[in-house]
Each structure stands twice: as structure tokens, then as C-alpha cells.
Amino acid sequence: MEFLDLPPMLGAAGTVRLPGSKSISNRVLLLAALAQGETDIRDLLLSDDVERMLEALRALGVDWQRAGDSLNYRVRGVGGPFPVKHGDLFLGNAGTAFRPLTAALALSGGEYRLSGVPRMHERPIGDLVDALRQLGADITCTANEGYPPLQLKPATIRPGGVVRVRGDVSSQFLTALLMALPLTGVETTIEVVGELISKPYIRITLELMARFGVEVRQQGWERFVVPGGARYRSPGTVFVEGDASSASYFLAAGAIGGGPVRVEGVGTASIQGDVRFAEALEQLGARITTGDNWIEAAAPASGVLKAFDLDLNHIPDAAMTLAVAALFADGPCRLRNIASWRVKETDRIAAMAIELRKVGAEVEEGADYLVVKRPHALRPAAIDTYDDHRMAMCFSLVSLGACRVRINDPKCVNKTFPGYFDVFSGIACPVPVVAIDGPSASGKGTVAARVAEALGWHYLDSGSLYRLTALAALRAGVALDDEAGVAALAGALPARFEGGRVLLDGDDVTDEIRSETCSVGASKVAALAAVRAALFDRQRDYRAAPGLIAEGRDMGSVIFPDAGTKVFLTASAEARAGRRYKQLMEKGLPANMESLLKDLQERDARDAARPVAPLVKLPDAVLLDTTERNVDEAVAFVLDLVEAGWKSSG
């Protein structure tokens, strides 16, 4: 499975231009297809869900054209039911395409098969099918009653009168009926049975229908009257707003990560209900400012979000972001009236509970609610996304808790927001890392420790971890070529670094691990893939605010490939042997210059040739040759590189 590793972030700030709304994009496409005349659609969302709708419309005889590589489309409406009367349509997991097309095709007098991905076949559609059958539609659920795939056949439609549909499962059922009923030409009343959820999405539907010339008479949220003789007519040009649900991730990032973060494309003039996510954030203490076409969020003055207990029925998609924001609140948080999560791209209540527990939260899961209590400290975790774009985007926010996180199947965001992680990285600031590598005895450890001290950053001597592993193996009587045995020791290595000392199970082994025996042993165990894997996450967890100086063989290539500064520190073998000789003599240890030089040359050759993490200078690393430089000069060189990096990043 593909994955994306997000490093711990220091904070978030910046401006984001939102992609178009999925809900508006697919509604506008269908209305433009059914309307008389040509419609120019500006800023359409380019995503998997919209692609499925575009493909279906073309298969049904609707002519549309894209203007070059832009997000502008021209749709030539068919002025009524679809002209193509036979079709086999695959709609992926696009509910905003599947449900409305089901209703429109049921009233088009043709024979059609509608299917999707396996998850779509688990999402209920029975209430919409039942409502359409009340009109005389001939619809068969070909696998399980109440679920796709569907087979639609020509039928005698009995328009007019009253059609009843449940409103407490998905508002998309009511949306589908509202948009399709003008095709009958007869006044029809829709009665909603039960509480209507996600009312703001119905407002979007009614607003867009009105733009296309059909005014629905609304009697509260219980009855909707679609007028007789109404026909869709193109309004000429329609602009698609930015996606308010997608805005939630960036607004939450501003509230969690300091901010301010501004989203452009939605604001006080928006027709989308999810703009009210900003109101929810404000109740959590976030500082919110708004304009007609933008919203901005910054962290509370206290720096910590307030615990909340909220009914979130009106913003079900954006509410998912609050479940992750609860990880940063000052007490337990309750999300209520979210039963619709159960029938989305995945069972989002169950999925959210599972993944929140992975990062350390205590979670109580109910039929229509979640209670989330933050952990003392977030735990790094690999987040499963269930082919659900919102799971992937929500859990990117965990990285703002000084915690690395892995997002499995990150491309699932293509459903609504291709490029999401690139945009997120544009506002989130990762904990900086300086990776310093080089051959043995080149002075990289001394330089790295001095640079860390000068900056006040954390320090990782990865070589010591391998030396400690070798020492632990020698003490335990485990052969250094016993890969499984050494890896088991490495995975549970009781190692600490305190005040310049290296401790193994409480014993000060600072000097012992620098012996030639441990040096040779470290080189051997470091060549074992299982040992490197066991130490992989241990090393990554040294990355913490305000920054990290990481010294060692694969720091810049494997452990921290995103390190902002990479240095390959080297010197001639003769110079390095001389330094090692001096160190050993100062410690009163026996040393032979000729032997040291030979050992270094052999180790260089072995390190350069080994298949796992060979000693090479990375293409993006800066070469620092210290043959003719002292330690102070080398430290100043690295500090200058770090400062230059700060300036270039703004």
C-alpha cells in the first residue's frame, strides 16, 4: 500500500485558495445537462467524483467541452430527459453523482444499469428507490434490496400527487428527487418522513435549482412543492464556490497550529452550510475573522482549544475535522447527532474511533455520537483511510501535535481534493532537521553536537545507537551476524542520551562504545536490514521542536529525507586517522597510527560497498571537507547553512 509520512509540525500559517465544491460541482453539472441552452461553468472541481459525473453525462448524450487546461466547462443541455436510452454507468464511490442520476434516469424512460465500487454497493439507497417507485419507476436492486447496483427499465410514470421520502438517512435522497421531478412537468409534493438531516445541503440544491429557473415552494423542512410546467433553463454562467468542507482542514490547522490561516473561495456570502464550521471553531476559542469570500482562523489567545459538546447534524462532513481537533482540546469532547457518518464513504464513526485510538485518544463510540478525550501525548501511528478522502485529510492535522503520522493510501484525497497534501505542506511548518553524514572519524559527531548546542536543538547521534546495539549484543552473547537476534535487541534497546553521556540500561557506556571493538561491531550490525528497521522509528522520534541535528549514515536519505539542510562532512583518511589517534592517546588508550589508517580505509571501502545505506554523498547534500578546517570553522560553516535556509524559506 502506498503511504505518506508527515513529520511533526511546528505550526501552520498562510493562505489557501480552495478547490471548487464537490456538492455544487456535481449539482450544477446535472442541472446544466437537463437544462435548455448552454451553460458556462467556471472553477469546476477537478476530482474523481466530478470525473464520474462528467463521464456519465457524456455517455447519456450530453455534450460538454473543457476550455483547455482550465477549470472552465461548457455544457450543452438536452432540455429534458436524457436522449440516450440505454447505458451501463460506473460511478465509483461518488454519492453526489449516483443518487441524483438514479432519480433523473428513472424519469428518462430508458434502460440503465448503475454500479460503483464495493463500498458504494454497501451504501443504502432504498429510501430513494422506494420514493421513485411511488411514481411508477421500475427499479431493481440486482444484488441486495435497498443497495446498488441498480437496474432501471422504462416504466409508466405517474407524476403528481405526493411522494414520501425519509430524511434521516441522507439528504442526497431528497436532493435527487428535487432535481429530477421537473422532468415530469407536473406539480409534485415531496413529504419528508422523519427529521431531515444535513439541511444546509438542501439549501444548496434549492438555490441552484432557482438559478436554473425552477423555484421550489418550501413548507418548513417537511414539505417541498415542485411546480408543474417548470423547465430548467441555463443561467448562462455559473461560478462554483470553493469547497467549504475542504476549508475545515485548513481553518482547523490555523486554530491548532497558531495561524493565522486564511481560506479563499468561501465566506459570509457562501451558499454552503459547511461555512458554519468556522462558528464551531469559534466556540472552541479559535479567533475567526471573515469576509464575503474568505475566512481566517488563528489559535485561541490561551493557545489551547476549549472542550466542546456540539450537535453537528448541520455540518456532517466538516464535523469530522472537529473529531481530530478534539485531540487538542482541554477536556473530553462530544460530537452529537452524526448518525449519517455511518452511511458515508465508510462507516465514519467506527473508522474515526479506531484511528483516534491509534494516536492515543480515549474514544467512546455510540450509534450517533463520539466522545473523544485527548491523550497526555499523541502517539505516532499509521492511519488507515478506508478509501475515504476525509479520513486522510482530517488525520493530517495530527502532525500539528508534534507527532509524526503516516497516512495510508494518500491518493484517496483525489475524490475531492487532488493535491491536498501539497497544499497542506504549503501552510504547515515541519520541525527542522539538519542531517550530517560522513565517514568514520571525520568529526561529524563533534560538529553536530556543537551545532545542536549553539541552536538549542535536540541532538541524535545515530552511530551511537548502532554502537549500543553492538555492545548489547556482545554483552548478551548474541552473534553480530545473527540478524534476528540483534534486531530483537535493537527494538528494545534501553538507551538514553543525557548531558553528553550515553547510557545503556542505566550504565554509562560513553567511552566503551567508542572502543574499536564497538566501532567494528557497529559497522557490522548496521549492515543488517532488520536491525536498521528496528531502529528506524526510534531515530525519527528524536525529531521534536524546536529542531534536530541528526548525525549518521542514512539520516538524510532514509530517516529524514526531507531534512532542510544536509551536510556530507569528510576529510582525508590520513587526517581522520590522526584525529582518532590523538583521541585515543588523550584517553590513555593504546593506539597505532598505521593500524588506525588501515582500519579506516578498510571501513570506508566496506561502508561504501554495502547494499544497505552505503556511504555516499547525497545529491542535495553540501560537501564540507575538514582536512584543513578546525572544529570551530566547521561549526560556523553549518550554522551559516542553517541560517541561509531560514532566509530562503521566509
Side-chain angles (χ1 to χ4, degrees):
M1 177 182 292
E2 290 188 26
F3 60 83
L4 175 68
D5 286 330
L6 296 176
M9 302 292 181
L10 288 176
T15 299
V16 173
R17 181 69 187 179
L18 296 169
S21 161
K22 175 189 69 171
S23 298
I24 293 177
S25 291
N26 270 349
R27 282 168 171 81
V28 166
L29 280 173
L30 181 56
L31 293 174
L34 300 176
Q36 293 177 337
E38 293 186 353
T39 303
D40 287 323
I41 304 174
R42 307 289 175 85
D43 300 326
L44 191 76
L45 172 65
L46 190 61
S47 73
D48 287 348
D49 274 25
V50 176
E51 289 288 345
R52 300 295 81 73
M53 177 65 90
L54 286 166
E55 291 168 0
L57 293 179
R58 178 155 283 166
L60 293 167
V62 179
D63 180 43
W64 56 262
Q65 299 295 328
R66 183 180 181 183
D69 293 330
S70 74
L71 299 178
N72 301 330
Y73 289 71
R74 174 167 291 183
V75 179
R76 183 173 297 159
V78 297
F82 292 111
V84 173
K85 300 304 181 185
H86 292 83
D88 188 343
L89 305 179
F90 175 80
L91 297 168
N93 201 12
T96 55
F98 203 111
R99 277 76 179 268
L101 280 172
T102 295
L105 290 172
L107 304 181
S108 288
E111 185 168 344
Y112 310 98
R113 182 179 185 274
L114 279 68
S115 64
V117 299
R119 174 56 187 168
M120 178 57 78
H121 297 168
E122 298 172 352
R123 299 175 68 178
I125 199 170
D127 295 305
L128 175 59
V129 169
D130 290 343
L132 292 167
R133 285 171 176 166
Q134 294 171 43
L135 292 167
D138 185 344
I139 305 176
T140 301
C141 300
T142 60
N144 297 304
E145 185 60 30
Y147 296 87
L150 303 179
Q151 184 72 46
L152 284 65
K153 294 183 178 180
T156 301
I157 301 300
R158 302 183 298 274
V162 177
V163 177
R164 293 175 177 84
V165 65
R166 283 180 61 187
D168 57 354
V169 177
S170 172
S171 65
Q172 289 180 11
F173 300 157
L174 176 56
T175 279
L177 285 172
L178 286 167
M179 291 200 295
L181 281 172
L183 295 177
T184 69
V186 178
E187 179 175 295
T188 307
T189 299
I190 305 173
E191 288 188 352
V192 178
V193 179
E195 180 189 5
L196 177 60
I197 64 173
S198 307
K199 296 180 181 70
Y201 285 99
I202 301 302
R203 287 196 184 96
I204 294 174
T205 301
L206 298 175
E207 168 74 19
L208 293 175
M209 289 176 67
R211 292 189 193 179
F212 280 84
V214 176
E215 297 275 357
V216 176
R217 300 197 301 276
Q218 184 178 350
Q219 299 172 8
W221 294 104
E222 295 78 32
R223 290 171 63 88
F224 298 84
V225 181
V226 179
R231 304 191 69 178
Y232 291 124
R233 293 178 176 81
S234 171
T237 301
V238 177
F239 289 86
V240 177
E241 291 182 9
D243 190 84
S245 300
S246 297
S248 69
Y249 315 117
F250 302 105
L251 294 175
I256 295 166
V261 174
R262 174 176 291 201
V263 295
E264 296 178 344
V266 294
T268 54
S270 174
I271 66 172
Q272 297 172 76
D274 275 359
V275 294
R276 294 185 62 190
F277 175 82
E279 298 174 11
L281 272 186
E282 204 161 27
Q283 293 183 58
L284 275 59
R287 291 171 290 168
I288 303 294
T289 52
T290 60
D292 285 349
N293 196 45
W294 59 269
I295 307 173
E296 188 172 277
S302 66
V304 181
L305 296 175
K306 300 175 184 176
F308 60 86
D309 182 342
L310 295 173
D311 184 325
L312 298 167
N313 181 265
H314 60 298
I315 52 170
D317 287 344
M320 292 180 68
T321 312
L322 289 175
V324 177
L327 296 171
F328 302 89
D330 60 8
C333 300
R334 180 179 289 267
L335 296 84
R336 291 185 283 109
N337 205 0
I338 54 173
S340 65
W341 284 19
R342 298 280 188 191
V343 296
K344 296 288 188 177
E345 282 80 346
T346 187
D347 180 342
R348 287 175 170 170
I349 291 181
M352 186 63 74
I354 290 169
E355 303 310 314
L356 286 171
R357 291 184 183 116
K358 284 184 181 179
V359 299
E362 293 181 25
V363 184
E364 178 186 340
E365 174 191 343
D368 66 347
Y369 72 88
L370 277 178
V371 179
V372 182
K373 182 179 180 182
R374 68 181 292 178
H376 174 70
L378 291 171
R379 293 199 301 256
I383 301 300
D384 291 316
T385 50
Y386 309 85
D387 195 26
D388 187 338
H389 55 132
R390 301 209 183 280
M391 290 292 293
M393 292 186 279
C394 281
F395 275 90
S396 65
L397 299 172
V398 171
S399 63
L400 291 167
C403 181
R404 59 182 174 83
V405 62
R406 171 169 290 182
I407 305 295
N408 288 329
D409 188 23
K411 289 183 180 178
C412 67
V413 300
N414 291 346
K415 179 178 174 68
T416 53
F417 201 153
Y420 167 79
F421 289 106
D422 290 334
V423 178
F424 180 74
S425 67
I427 62 153
C429 177
V431 172
V433 174
V434 175
I436 300 179
D437 192 9
S440 178
S442 61
K444 59 184 182 295
T446 301
V447 171
R450 288 271 302 273
V451 171
E453 182 181 7
L455 294 172
W457 288 9
H458 300 280
Y459 169 53
L460 167 60
D461 175 3
S462 69
S464 289
L465 292 178
Y466 290 98
R467 292 170 183 269
L468 285 164
T469 300
L471 178 59
L474 292 169
R475 286 185 172 185
V478 176
L480 296 182
D481 59 356
D482 179 355
E483 186 165 358
V486 177
L489 288 173
L493 197 66
R496 302 199 314 274
F497 299 88
E498 295 180 354
R501 297 181 303 138
V502 182
L503 305 177
L504 178 62
D505 203 15
D507 294 337
D508 187 342
V509 295
T510 308
D511 293 333
E512 188 174 358
I513 64 170
R514 296 295 169 184
S515 69
E516 283 303 301
T517 300
C518 281
S519 294
V520 173
S523 181
K524 291 180 178 179
V525 300
L528 304 175
V531 173
R532 303 191 76 82
L535 292 174
F536 184 85
D537 286 340
R538 180 181 293 264
Q539 294 172 88
R540 296 178 74 207
D541 286 334
Y542 278 87
R543 186 176 192 168
L548 173 68
I549 307 298
E551 175 262 305
R553 185 56 34 80
D554 50 7
M555 290 298 97
S557 59
V558 178
I559 309 300
F560 303 112
D562 64 330
T565 302
K566 300 178 184 179
V567 179
F568 189 83
L569 194 153
T570 189
S572 68
E574 290 77 11
R576 290 184 282 128
R579 292 167 185 170
R580 176 62 59 85
Y581 178 83
K582 182 179 179 182
Q583 289 173 347
L584 293 174
M585 294 298 292
E586 288 176 349
K587 293 177 181 179
L589 298 174
N592 178 277
M593 184 66 180
E594 184 178 344
S595 176
L596 287 173
L597 178 59
K598 181 181 178 182
D599 286 345
L600 280 174
Q601 291 171 332
E602 289 178 350
R603 181 171 180 179
D604 286 351
R606 185 170 63 248
D607 287 350
R610 68 187 185 186
V612 180
L615 177 63
V616 294
K617 175 188 171 296
L618 297 172
D620 56 347
V622 177
L623 179 67
L624 172 56
D625 190 325
T626 63
T627 301
E628 303 295 333
R629 293 177 187 256
N630 60 34
V631 172
D632 289 340
E633 291 172 328
V635 169
F637 181 91
V638 177
L639 289 173
D640 286 344
L641 285 178
V642 174
E643 184 178 358
W646 288 340
K647 290 179 179 178
S648 65
S649 63

